[in-house]
Each structure stands twice: as C-alpha cells, then as structure tokens.
Amino acid sequence: MAVKVDSVDGNPKTNPETKRVLVRAERNDELKITTVVSNFEDINVPDFVKVVQRLMTYYGPKLRVEADDEQYLVTAPGPDTQALLWRQEDSAWHKAAEIRLDFTGSLPEYDICPDCGETLSTIAHERRAAIGACEK
Ligand SMILES: [Zn+2]
C-alpha cells in the first residue's frame, strides 16, 4: 500500500513526474504510485499499476490501469491538482484517491507529437509531425 502524506510540500501544482506519466504513458508501461495525496474512499491504493489502455479525451489524457486484477482509471483534472485515481464499482467510476505517479523503468522511447499531443509511435506519424502535417 502506497504511503499517504498529509501535504504536498506546499506546492499544489501537478508534479513533473506525474505530468510526464500522463503525457507519455502507453499500454504495458509499469507505473509506480509514488504518493497518495488524498484517499477519498480509504481504499488500499496499489504501489504499482500497469497501463491497459491510453485514451485521449477532450479534457486530456486518461489512462486505464490495472493492479491485482482490479481496474482503475487515472485522470488529470487540471494543472493545479495531482492525478486522480478512480476505481470501478457497480459499473460506475468512483473517485478514490489523489495520487502522484512515475515510471518504474526507463522512459518510453517515443516523443510527443506537437500537433495532436499523442506519442509518435509510428514512423508515419513521426514523419507527418516533422513537417507539421499531422491531421489528427
Ligand atoms: Zn500527431
């Protein structure tokens, strides 16, 4: 179970590691929950989660993650908060905790497309981005 802290060193902004995870995490990446800022539902927040799916929404990236056969969602509500961890119950998502995350291993090798904000995981996408022609 990840360690809970009472305050986030006086800085309410999303920390750089968490931001990097939200921008760059892809399917199968292993993530570590480094800090539990708030535990709204008093759940056992897992130490590590694995990315199942990356979703791009109007409001920004959203990660479907899993740990110990439990499914969770990680969202980034805004620049002034840490990431939110949602857990599923009765086919609804419940806001369970506010967390900080980091990659467990080395950073993913892909860069981010400046146009659409997604990772440049294909050569075609990389080429389009290089000439400013991404149409996503
Ligand atoms: Zn793109």
Side-chain angles (χ1 to χ4, degrees), residues 26-62:
E26 288 287 342
R27 199 165 82 88
N28 290 332
D29 279 339
E30 297 270 358
L31 306 174
K32 178 171 172 55
I33 295 177
T34 53
T35 311
V36 178
V37 182
S38 308
N39 193 338
F40 308 120
E41 296 199 313
D42 220 12
I43 61 160
N44 276 351
V45 177
D47 285 322
F48 296 96
V49 294
K50 186 177 181 176
V51 180
V52 179
Q53 191 185 11
R54 174 188 180 77
L55 305 154
M56 209 53 200
T57 73
Y58 178 78
Y59 301 100
K62 203 157 137 179

Side-chain angles (χ1 to χ4, degrees), residues 64-135:
R64 249 190 123 99
V65 301
E66 67 179 14
D68 307 322
D69 294 327
E70 295 275 352
Q71 301 280 326
Y72 301 93
L73 263 187
V74 175
T75 63
D80 296 335
T81 42
Q82 308 303 312
L84 291 176
L85 183 74
W86 303 72
R87 73 183 175 85
Q88 199 167 32
E89 189 180 289
D90 305 327
S91 53
W93 290 102
H94 298 258
K95 189 166 42 170
E98 187 176 351
I99 55 168
R100 284 173 158 187
L101 300 141
D102 200 359
F103 289 101
T104 55
S106 53
L107 277 180
E109 54 188 306
Y110 306 123
D111 284 331
I112 301 296
C113 174
D115 292 325
C116 69
E118 293 189 27
T119 54
L120 296 172
S121 52
T122 65
I123 302 277
H125 195 175
E126 206 166 275
R127 282 188 186 139
R128 286 197 305 272
I131 57 168
C134 176
E135 286 165 7

